[in-house]
Amino acid sequence: MGLWRMTGIVGITAAGLGAAYAAELPLAAGFSLGLAALMAGALRSRAVPGWAALGRMMREGVAHTKEVVWILLLVGLLIPAWTAGGVVEYLVAAGLSLLDPAWIVTFGFAFASAIAMVLGTSTGTLSAVGIPLMGIAAHLGVPLPLMAGALVSGAFVGDRTSPFSSAHQLVASSAGVPERALFRLLRPTTYAGFALALAVFAAFDRIGAWGRGGEAGVGVAYSGGGDEHWLLAVPPALLLICILVRLRTRHAFVVGIVSGVAVGAYVQGGTVQEWIGWLWHGYAEPGGSGAGTSAAAHGKGLAAMIELVALIALAGAYNGIMENAGLVRPIAARVLGAKPTLAGATARTGLFGLGLSLVSCTQTLPIMMTARSLSAVWVERFPREHLARVTADTSLLLAALVPWNMIAVLCGTILGVGAERYAPYALFLWVPPLLTVGWSAWSGSRRQEEQVGGSAMGR
């Protein structure tokens, strides 16, 4: 397929998604336009030999989304189970009694970062610690997009950097560098990005002054809403333990859901019909807006996930065609340009990854396509290690800023705040891409000086 035709398909896909998002229509409807254009283009250009091959590619792509679909559906059950059973309320009350409310945003970022480095998963981290911390933030009057941005930032410190992260491992394998080497290469932008984000979140806490002057009464005011039985701590503890022992994420979610329903039914009561209704439609506190709990805890049942599952299935089919037919390679061959500097190549690579995140709706494809497609051209001009660093600092992180990308949908669903709202505050998602360009500029100039020095000595 020619470059211009592929560019047109990408444009149609982005335009369809953007129009559906702006018109508040199902994103699956907008994405279907891009999928139809891709199917027609692939068949007309003979990039795909026929309908049978096209169907096989699409089925393979959809099959790769199974884990994401499982997690999304299980999140749709976990949130109402924990809310109806009083688990979220219990955790919020416990957090209010233990934490200093004045620094909740800073604590949320640091705590989520630490947990994510241990767990190696952004969705697991946000599920285990994000839901109760969002509840505490809502009760204290912290802007939920700010709190969500801090938590997502912390979750992606681990998703990008932890040796246990599948995304981190995917970058290393796709770029062809050892995992230990990648961890070392990421240190400069990790330390600088973390320190900068921590300082900004601390400034928000300082300016916001949430909870100051009312800390003594805030826990009492909240704790009256339900029965604070110690058993309510069991579901989140079990979920965290399951993820720590490397149980598959979806299995850990099942444990969290089953234990949440069991403990909730024992402590709070409720009929079988009521519990089925809460799990399907979502749970909201009777007779109130539920200001004391996370926004994620309201209106998010299994039914709300069906539309998102449709989008993910379509995205999987789209990715299956693009990857199996090799449609990204013509664009990738021209990304770096004729004679780029290391900083210029870094910026172009980041934009390439962002473009893939916009149209592929996954985090996986931008990582693989950036590292694999650019590798042959990159290593002719720069060390391979730089490509691994740039991919981790750009393609891996930027996907979580795209509202219709799968990873952003998962983060937004768990926290109850969409990517378009948390993105301005998710500092660790967009600061490292900027820092990595600067680091490349410095590394490139130093490398050039060494080459000049070596040539002078040779003379």
Side-chain angles (χ1 to χ4, degrees):
M1 184 183 295
L3 176 62
W4 288 110
R5 177 174 290 178
M6 189 61 210
T7 303
I9 291 172
V10 170
I12 292 173
T13 305
L17 283 166
Y21 186 78
E24 297 184 354
L25 296 173
L27 291 176
F31 192 79
S32 63
L33 296 176
L35 179 59
L38 179 63
M39 293 169 63
L43 290 170
R44 287 190 62 182
S45 65
R46 300 186 183 277
V48 177
W51 284 100
L54 186 70
R56 175 181 53 78
M57 293 178 183
M58 293 172 67
R59 287 194 299 272
E60 289 180 3
V62 173
H64 290 158
T65 68
K66 286 192 298 184
E67 189 68 20
V68 178
V69 169
W70 271 111
I71 293 174
L72 195 59
L73 293 175
L74 291 171
V75 166
L77 294 172
L78 180 77
I79 292 174
W82 282 17
T83 311
V87 174
V88 173
E89 184 177 3
Y90 174 84
L91 293 175
V92 170
L96 288 169
S97 66
L98 296 173
L99 302 178
D100 182 352
W103 302 100
I104 181 64
V105 178
T106 308
F107 172 82
F109 169 65
F111 188 53
S113 299
I115 296 297
M117 285 298 296
V118 175
L119 301 183
T121 165
S122 56
T123 53
T125 298
L126 293 177
S127 300
V129 305
I131 294 174
L133 286 174
M134 285 294 287
I136 295 172
H139 187 74
L140 294 172
V142 179
L144 293 185
L146 170 60
M147 191 67 202
L151 291 169
V152 171
S153 293
F156 273 85
V157 169
D159 200 64
R160 162 189 168 276
T161 317
S162 172
F164 305 118
S165 166
S166 59
H168 179 91
Q169 295 168 5
L170 181 62
V171 171
S173 63
S174 298
V177 300
E179 290 178 26
R180 287 187 178 182
L182 177 59
F183 185 82
R184 174 178 51 81
L185 291 164
L186 292 177
R187 286 178 186 170
T189 51
T190 300
Y191 295 156
F194 183 88
L196 181 59
L198 192 70
V200 173
F201 289 133
F204 273 117
D205 277 327
R206 184 76 175 176
I207 295 170
W210 7 87
R212 287 189 175 91
E215 297 93 334
V218 76
V220 176
Y222 188 86
S223 63
D227 189 350
E228 293 186 13
H229 198 289
W230 65 270
L231 283 174
L232 294 171
V234 171
L238 287 177
L239 175 64
L240 194 60
I241 291 171
C242 288
I243 299 175
L244 279 170
V245 299
R246 308 297 170 203
L247 194 67
R248 291 186 68 174
T249 304
R250 65 182 181 185
H251 296 155
F253 272 86
V254 170
V255 172
I257 293 165
V258 172
S259 60
V261 172
V263 171
Y266 174 77
V267 175
Q268 308 290 4
T271 65
V272 173
Q273 290 79 5
E274 286 176 327
W275 275 97
I276 292 175
W278 292 332
L279 294 175
W280 178 253
H281 296 291
Y283 177 85
E285 293 176 359
S289 61
T293 55
S294 168
H298 298 275
K300 295 291 184 182
L302 188 61
M305 303 299 138
I306 304 303
E307 178 186 325
L308 299 177
V309 169
L311 172 65
I312 288 172
L314 291 174
Y318 191 99
N319 295 333
I321 298 173
M322 288 182 65
E323 188 172 359
N324 289 313
L327 300 180
V328 181
R329 295 191 188 102
I331 299 177
R334 303 190 184 188
V335 166
L336 297 183
K339 295 181 179 180
T341 62
L342 181 56
T346 298
R348 291 186 177 203
T349 300
L351 292 174
F352 180 64
L354 177 60
L356 288 172
S357 298
L358 287 169
V359 299
S360 68
C361 293
T362 70
Q363 182 192 39
T364 302
L365 189 68
I367 291 174
M368 292 192 303
M369 289 292 101
T370 299
R372 292 179 184 176
S373 300
L374 300 182
S375 179
V377 181
W378 185 284
V379 296
E380 294 176 359
R381 305 167 189 180
F382 312 110
R384 183 183 299 274
E385 289 76 11
H386 284 296
L387 178 59
R389 168 181 58 83
V390 172
T391 302
D393 279 339
T394 58
S395 298
L396 190 157
L397 296 175
L398 293 173
L401 292 174
V402 179
W404 48 78
N405 196 284
M406 290 183 196
I407 190 67
V409 168
L410 285 173
C411 293
T413 300
I414 293 170
L415 300 179
V417 177
E420 74 283 0
R421 296 176 61 205
Y422 71 62
Y425 305 102
L427 299 176
F428 200 81
L429 296 184
W430 51 266
V431 169
L434 300 176
L435 292 173
T436 205
V437 175
W439 184 254
S440 290
W442 181 80
S443 299
S445 63
R446 189 181 66 171
R447 183 166 173 260
Q448 190 174 22
E449 290 173 0
E450 291 174 352
Q451 290 175 344
V452 171
S455 299
M457 289 179 63
R459 290 195 296 269

